[in-house]
Amino acid sequence: TVGAKLKGKNHLTATVGGKEEKLKLRDDYVPLSFSASGAASAPVVFAGYGASAPEFGYDDYMHMDVKDKIVLVLRNEPPVFEKKGGNQGRTHHALLITKAINARVHGAKALVLVNAALGQGEEDLLMKFGQAGPEDAGIPIVQVKRAVAERWLAAETTSLDALQKAIDEKSQPDSR
């Protein structure tokens, strides 16, 4: 998307354990340029990498009701996809637009992306607005920092690292 600019009143508020937290634009979160405009208020569910890949026998949405919920997913894809795909690099399941369409098709109200586990010395960076995506995906989409998602998951006594590790090691979804 060329020349995209943030307009309007962008805000993101999360309520965890009865406590409301107003997140800071560009510090804690950023909307994606192909996000639909609008508001969404709903419970958040974790749907792994947000992938439905029958060719790999993998579906983060299987046994998961995300209708009218906000879906939190990891960026990228399970490592097994690259191996089963012939080590040709990431598949289309890693594309942000694929994740957005998949969430929308499953009935999600909105999509929240978070970076997968970071490497040694890697910084948890948010994408720049206008950096990715072709068009309006039909649902609101934001990316949050890992620290934000970790606070949300702490109420469930789990962490992003633990969830991702379980998915990556077993090559099976661990949505909740």
Side-chain angles (χ1 to χ4, degrees):
T1 306
V2 178
K5 293 185 177 148
L6 283 170
K7 293 193 269 181
K9 298 178 181 177
N10 294 287
H11 65 276
L12 180 60
T13 303
T15 303
V16 180
K19 185 178 177 187
E20 189 174 279
E21 175 187 20
K22 292 183 183 206
L23 301 169
K24 295 178 186 168
L25 181 64
R26 293 191 177 96
D27 288 338
D28 297 321
Y29 80 99
V30 65
L32 272 61
S33 58
F34 61 97
S35 170
S37 294
S41 179
V44 175
V45 295
F46 176 74
Y49 287 94
S52 294
E55 69 274 28
F56 300 131
Y58 183 98
D59 190 352
D60 283 309
Y61 290 94
M62 185 180 287
H63 310 299
M64 184 81 169
D65 178 16
V66 301
K67 182 157 178 51
D68 296 327
K69 295 183 177 80
I70 297 170
V71 179
L72 172 67
V73 301
L74 296 162
R75 290 185 60 193
N76 301 325
E77 64 188 6
V80 71
F81 285 21
E82 185 176 340
K83 291 176 190 163
K84 286 185 176 180
N87 292 316
Q88 300 296 315
R90 290 189 181 134
T91 70
H92 72 281
H93 299 289
L95 298 174
L96 302 179
I97 190 67
T98 302
K99 292 175 184 292
I101 291 168
N102 202 22
R104 185 188 73 213
V105 165
H106 281 89
K109 272 191 169 182
L111 178 65
V112 178
L113 299 161
V114 63
N115 287 330
L118 304 171
Q120 183 73 19
E122 234 181 332
E123 192 177 342
D124 185 21
L125 299 174
L126 295 171
M127 292 177 282
K128 291 180 182 173
F129 183 81
Q131 180 176 330
E135 57 188 63
D136 183 333
I139 60 173
I141 309 165
V142 297
Q143 180 191 9
V144 298
K145 290 259 182 132
R146 286 181 63 83
V148 171
E150 289 289 7
R151 288 193 298 271
W152 297 349
L153 292 169
E156 298 297 318
T157 63
T158 190
S159 71
L160 280 174
D161 286 337
L163 290 169
Q164 183 179 348
K165 184 177 179 182
I167 295 168
D168 291 354
E169 286 179 356
K170 296 176 187 173
S171 299
Q172 294 294 317
D174 191 6
S175 302
R176 49 185 79 197

